Amino acid sequence: MLEQDNQGVSVLLLEEVSRDYQVGRERVGALKGVSLRVNAGEFVAVVGPSGSGKTTLLNLAGCIDRPSSGRVFLDGLRCDDVPESVLSGLRAEKIGFVFQTFNLIPVLTAAENVEYALQLRPQAPPAGERRKRVAEILERTGIGPLARRRPDEMSGGERQRVAIARALVGRPRLVLADEATANLDGQTAAQIVGLMRELNEEQGVTFVFSTHDSRLQGMAKRIVELRDGLLRGGRSC
Ligand SMILES: Nc1ncnc2c1ncn2[C@@H]1O[C@H](COP(=O)(O)OP(=O)(O)O)[C@@H](O)[C@H]1O
Ligand SMILES: [Mg+2]
């Protein structure tokens, strides 16, 4: 059974979450009791130096990893202790992911990459509705004219726009972007974060993105800072 978050529905709630890794004989504490609440409509940057735990935090938030201790709630549902078979449906329905390396399918066009994300959803819309939604989101992310290109026929910034369209087409509750701009030049990186922020404001999509780039932090509505697996300033609920 999925347990309810009884503190009011937040899009994401981490309660005293820790994640240890076993490296040889040593246990490395990547996160050490982090509590974080993210409400609908927030635009949050997770910042901190390399190795501070940003990727670990986003992987736990996206239920692609499980905490060593603590609890994770997604849209009010506890998800750290449910079977993978339930989790994959929950992830497909509620979360959009944007990755540093874009992770587009090389043999598919931009439009097909975005549509594929819709086909994976537990209740995939019919073909006509899918095409309409794909065309709308590609237009909005500035990829309309490039819809029939494959990833190797696009620049890094264009590929990341396709990845953002793919993350958003299913109308997720939460978009998680881990170092999504790390492979882009400074100007393109700022444009991509700017696009995410516009989508946040226009469509109310909740974003949590990580970056080690201090220039991009200023574009966030809220900054959560990690140092050595701990939230700076203590709890951020
Ligand atoms: N799979 C892993 N195995 C062992 N240690 C890991 C693993 N993933 C991350 N770590 C360690 O956990 C800490 C946090 O890593 P990470 O979350 O990737 O930080 P960041 O994304 O901020 O660079 C680091 O000390 C890192 O070496
Ligand atoms: Mg990282």
Side-chain angles (χ1 to χ4, degrees):
M1 252 321 266
L2 292 164
E3 195 178 320
Q4 296 285 324
D5 157 21
N6 57 12
Q7 300 174 41
V9 172
S10 39
V11 171
L12 173 67
L13 177 64
L14 306 180
E15 281 184 343
E16 294 291 333
V17 165
S18 296
R19 177 67 167 98
D20 302 326
Y21 292 107
Q22 191 76 38
V23 185
R25 288 207 198 137
E26 232 187 300
R27 272 187 99 64
V28 177
L31 284 182
K32 303 167 183 168
V34 165
S35 294
L36 174 68
R37 177 187 288 273
V38 177
N39 292 318
E42 287 206 82
F43 191 73
V44 182
V46 178
V47 307
S50 181
S52 59
K54 302 182 296 298
T55 295
T56 304
L57 188 149
L58 263 68
N59 286 347
L60 293 172
C63 302
I64 42 185
D65 187 19
R66 294 174 196 267
S68 308
S69 63
R71 306 198 298 170
V72 178
F73 293 87
L74 197 57
D75 205 15
L77 299 171
R78 185 164 177 193
C79 63
D80 56 274
D81 64 350
V82 302
E84 179 53 37
S85 54
V86 178
L87 264 191
S88 52
L90 203 68
R91 268 196 306 264
E93 187 192 333
K94 295 196 183 288
I95 307 180
F97 292 97
V98 184
F99 302 96
Q100 176 174 348
T101 49
F102 320 129
N103 295 15
L104 299 173
I105 300 171
V107 295
L108 299 183
T109 65
E112 288 165 349
N113 264 282
V114 176
E115 186 177 353
Y116 186 58
L118 271 186
Q119 286 169 304
L120 289 179
R121 286 172 64 89
Q123 264 134 24
E129 169 72 9
R130 284 204 308 267
R131 306 268 151 75
K132 184 166 157 277
R133 277 167 65 174
V134 169
E136 275 169 13
I137 192 70
L138 283 177
E139 203 57 49
R140 180 60 196 85
T141 54
I143 295 297
L146 309 182
R148 295 166 75 93
R149 289 208 196 162
R150 288 199 307 271
D152 65 357
E153 299 165 330
M154 289 183 278
S155 70
E158 288 163 353
R159 286 182 216 181
Q160 204 55 306
R161 286 172 185 271
V162 176
I164 290 171
R166 177 181 60 182
L168 282 163
V169 73
R171 297 176 186 153
R173 290 284 287 155
L174 174 65
V175 176
L176 296 169
D178 188 17
E179 298 281 1
T181 57
N183 283 8
L184 306 174
D185 64 76
Q187 192 185 352
T188 308
Q191 285 167 356
I192 290 293
V193 176
L195 172 65
M196 296 198 300
R197 172 119 188 197
E198 284 167 22
L199 291 162
N200 163 260
E201 283 175 2
E202 283 167 24
Q203 303 183 9
V205 191
T206 309
F207 279 85
V208 176
F209 69 101
S210 72
T211 180
H212 64 260
D213 184 341
S214 55
R215 288 166 303 176
L216 300 173
Q217 295 172 19
M219 299 174 77
K221 292 180 181 168
R222 173 181 167 201
I223 295 175
V224 166
E225 191 175 355
L226 278 172
R227 279 292 153 96
D228 198 21
L230 293 164
L231 279 188
R232 257 194 129 187
R235 299 174 71 92
S236 185
C237 276

